[in-house]
Amino acid sequence: MLDSFTGRGMASAPNVTPMARIVDAYRALELLARHPRIDPDRIAIMGFSHGGSAALFSSMKRFARMHGPTDGRVFAAHIVFYP
């Protein structure tokens, strides 16, 4: 589970923009894809509410080109709840 708040010393969503959370999601994808016990081709993203916006926007090719991993890796699935 990705926590976009604690590392920034924040406690709530209004303090972290959806764009920052998209970048966080792609950095998590890079990290998880390198883990030896994780299949890098089966990493999905799921988000609810504010996180749902990040999950939705991370499905867009332009954001993947701008902020995604340099190796072109993308999420296997985007599961979005009330973004």
Side-chain angles (χ1 to χ4, degrees):
M1 184 167 98
L2 177 63
D3 176 359
S4 293
F5 307 126
T6 304
R8 292 182 171 92
M10 300 175 176
S12 66
N15 297 320
V16 181
T17 67
M19 185 56 68
R21 294 189 70 160
I22 294 167
V23 174
D24 290 349
Y26 284 127
R27 296 300 75 80
L29 173 62
E30 288 178 319
L31 180 68
L32 291 170
R34 290 193 306 263
H35 193 285
R37 296 182 64 193
I38 295 175
D39 181 346
D41 295 324
R42 298 180 69 183
I43 300 170
I45 182 169
M46 178 171 67
F48 297 81
S49 189
H50 201 262
S53 296
L56 177 64
F57 293 141
S58 69
S59 71
M60 297 179 179
K61 290 181 183 180
R62 71 178 184 170
F63 289 123
R65 282 192 304 270
M66 290 169 42
H67 304 291
T70 56
D71 65 0
R73 181 168 306 285
V74 295
F75 289 103
H78 300 263
I79 306 162
V80 179
F81 293 92
Y82 50 94

